[in-house]
């Protein structure tokens, strides 16, 4: 894939490996603020934390940020996201369920989230875009929106893209410089992900062998780990991820992850997680 311009963001995504993995807050700081809301993402940016945002289409085609297929769990409404218009979604309270202090928070659009990100040009964060739905023009729409907002080089596309070669091809066709991940859960998939020309990140759910991490970096790609091995309070697995050289960790505990010394003398003796 073509490299983006060598801004600080491109260096974060594609340059030399960072001193320790970048924490990526799962659905934002979901333990401290209502997930997938502007209040949440603003807090991440103020704290210089990367975050994950879930994107799908609503009934009239707008790209909105919500994890579930329905609004039932995270708003005061009911119904499928795909069955509601943007006006209907914007009328829902997406904050009170979490805490009264967040009453009135709304489901944001992807444009609102990208615009917010653009207001923090000096925040060295990785934003993982979890594509929850797909259609013939979704790739072009989300990439075009990110370009117009000036944040494309700060995004990593995951979600449906990690296992869907066609979607990755469409993202690449829309923007050769877009950062896209490809899933690798088995040794065979790892080899495929290394050779995959539609992605520049490898997405894993367990800590790989250090030799495989070196192979990924030698190809100019980076590694993103997500899933139950690292999403909870998993200091041993966080240290193991850092020890083998992973580049980003998606977790529900990004502040705790960032506060831990993951590399150096302490991390060499700590942790019992095993590759695979």
């Amino acid at each position: 894939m073509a490299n983006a311009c060598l801004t600080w963001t491109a260096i974060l995504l594609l340059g030399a490996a960072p001193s320790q993995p970048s924490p990526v807050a799962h659905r934002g700081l979901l333990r401290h603020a209502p997930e997938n809301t502007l209040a949440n993402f603003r807090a991440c940016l103020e704290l210089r934390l990367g975050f994950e945002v879930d994107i799908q289409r609503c009934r009239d085609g707008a790209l909105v940020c919500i994890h579930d297929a329905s609004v039932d769990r995270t708003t005061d409404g009911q119904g499928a996201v795909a069955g509601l218009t943007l006006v209907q979604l914007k009328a829902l309270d997406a904050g009170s369920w979490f805490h009264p202090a967040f009453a009135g928070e709304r489901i944001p659009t992807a444009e609102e989230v990208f615009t917010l990100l653009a207001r923090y040009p000096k925040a060295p964060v990785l934003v993982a875009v979890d594509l929850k739905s797909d259609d013939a023009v979704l790739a072009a729409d989300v990439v075009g929106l990110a370009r117009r907002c000036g944040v494309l080089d700060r995004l990593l596309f995951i979600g449906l893209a990690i296992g869907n070669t066609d979607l990755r091809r469409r993202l690449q066709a829309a923007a050769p410089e877009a950062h896209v991940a490809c899933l690798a859960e088995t040794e065979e998939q790892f080899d495929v992900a290394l050779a995959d020309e539609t992605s520049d990140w490898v997405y894993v759910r367990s800590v790989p062998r250090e030799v495989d991490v070196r192979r990924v970096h030698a190809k100019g790609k980076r590694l993103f780990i997500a899933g139950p091995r690292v999403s909870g309070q998993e200091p041993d697995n966080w240290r193991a991820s850092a020890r083998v050289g992973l580049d980003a960790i998606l977790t529900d505990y990004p502040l705790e992850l960032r506060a831990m010394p993951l590399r150096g003398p302490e991390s060499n003796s700590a942790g019992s997680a095993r590759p695979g």
Side-chain angles (χ1 to χ4, degrees):
M1 298 180 72
N3 289 340
C5 349
L6 292 177
T7 60
W8 60 265
T9 315
I11 292 171
L12 169 71
L13 294 174
L14 291 172
S19 58
Q20 66 179 40
S22 298
V24 180
H26 186 209
R27 305 180 206 167
L29 288 162
L30 52 67
R31 296 171 49 249
H32 305 280
E35 65 184 62
N36 278 301
T37 60
L38 292 180
N40 191 326
F41 297 146
R42 189 178 296 109
C44 290
L45 290 165
E46 289 288 341
L47 292 168
R48 302 300 191 263
L49 275 174
F51 60 86
E52 178 212 31
V53 56
D54 300 295
I55 292 181
Q56 54 186 301
R57 281 204 197 274
C58 63
R59 180 178 172 182
D60 49 2
L63 295 172
V64 293
C65 302
I66 182 170
H67 177 272
D68 297 357
S70 79
V71 301
D72 299 21
R73 180 177 64 87
T74 57
T75 77
D76 60 351
Q78 291 184 322
V81 175
L84 298 170
T85 66
L86 181 59
V87 170
Q88 290 173 315
L89 291 172
K90 282 294 188 182
L92 303 178
D93 184 331
S96 292
W97 69 274
F98 184 86
H99 191 278
F102 294 99
E105 280 295 315
R106 305 299 173 189
I107 296 172
T109 63
E111 182 173 11
E112 287 172 326
V113 174
F114 293 168
T115 299
L116 175 66
L117 178 59
R119 294 190 187 124
Y120 290 80
K122 294 184 179 180
V125 299
L126 172 65
V127 175
V129 178
D130 190 330
L131 299 174
K132 292 292 185 184
S133 62
D134 187 24
D135 55 57
V137 295
L138 182 133
D141 285 355
V142 72
V143 164
L145 179 60
R147 265 183 169 162
R148 290 194 297 276
C149 292
V151 298
L152 180 60
D153 63 333
R154 305 170 73 180
L155 308 180
L156 170 62
F157 293 103
I158 59 171
L160 293 177
I162 67 172
N164 187 325
T165 306
D166 179 62
L167 177 53
R168 293 199 301 274
R169 285 198 185 107
R170 283 183 277 122
L171 287 165
Q172 185 184 46
E177 72 275 22
H179 303 297
V180 188
C182 179
L183 177 65
E185 290 191 290
T186 66
E187 186 172 345
E188 181 181 358
Q189 285 180 333
F190 213 95
D191 291 336
V192 170
L194 270 174
D196 184 71
E197 296 182 352
T198 64
S199 59
D200 57 353
W201 281 70
V202 177
Y203 183 111
V204 297
R205 294 194 177 109
S206 60
V207 182
R209 300 177 303 170
E210 187 172 357
V211 63
D212 288 326
V213 174
R214 288 199 298 267
R215 290 169 62 205
V216 171
H217 289 163
K219 291 281 288 186
K221 298 191 176 193
R222 294 290 172 258
L223 286 116
F224 183 99
I225 186 168
R229 301 284 182 92
V230 292
S231 61
Q233 283 271 29
E234 298 286 348
D236 289 347
N237 289 337
W238 294 345
R239 290 190 184 100
S241 297
R243 199 159 52 238
V244 299
L246 294 184
D247 301 285
I249 298 175
L250 181 67
T251 180
D252 296 349
Y253 294 84
L255 295 173
E256 290 82 354
L257 169 58
R258 186 166 68 179
M260 281 186 58
L262 296 179
R263 286 185 174 152
E266 179 176 339
S267 65
N268 288 336
S269 58
S272 58
R274 293 292 181 265

